[in-house]
Amino acid sequence: FVPAGFIPPEPLTPEALLEKSQWRGRLLKAISELPPRERKVLRLYYFAEMTNEEIGILLGVSYTRASQLRTKAIRRLRVLLG
C-alpha cells in the first residue's frame, strides 16, 4: 500500500506543457504591467512568503494597507488576464 501523496502524478502531455508555458508567459507579462509597488507586494507575499505585517513594515505602511495593495494587484491581474 502506497499513500496517494507518494504516487507520482502522470507526466504532462506536450499539449498540457505548452498550455502551462503559455499561461506562465501571460501571467509574467501581466505582472510586469502592474505598478512597481504592487509588483513588489506580490513578490514579497508570494515568493518571499512575508506576512502583510512584514510587508507593511518594509514599505512603511500599516499591515491593512499592505493587504489592500495585494488585493488591488490581484484585481488588476484578473482584469489584465481577462
Side-chain angles (χ1 to χ4, degrees):
F1 173 76
V2 178
F6 291 101
I7 299 172
E10 292 291 321
L12 293 174
T13 64
E15 294 82 11
L17 284 171
L18 177 62
E19 185 176 318
K20 185 177 179 180
S21 174
Q22 289 171 341
W23 170 248
R24 186 173 191 273
R26 286 183 63 218
L27 179 59
L28 291 174
K29 182 180 183 310
I31 290 171
S32 74
E33 294 176 16
L34 294 175
R37 192 173 197 193
E38 291 178 17
R39 281 197 312 264
K40 185 174 189 173
V41 169
L42 290 181
R43 187 176 66 245
L44 294 172
Y45 188 83
Y46 290 105
F47 298 104
E49 299 181 358
M50 293 177 73
T51 65
N52 288 326
E53 186 172 357
E54 293 167 328
I55 294 168
I57 291 168
L58 191 67
L59 298 179
V61 298
S62 69
Y63 74 91
T64 304
R65 182 65 183 140
S67 178
Q68 290 169 346
L69 288 168
R70 183 171 50 89
T71 299
K72 187 175 181 180
I74 291 169
R75 284 186 182 146
R76 210 182 290 259
L77 280 177
R78 286 182 179 147
V79 169
L80 290 168
L81 293 169

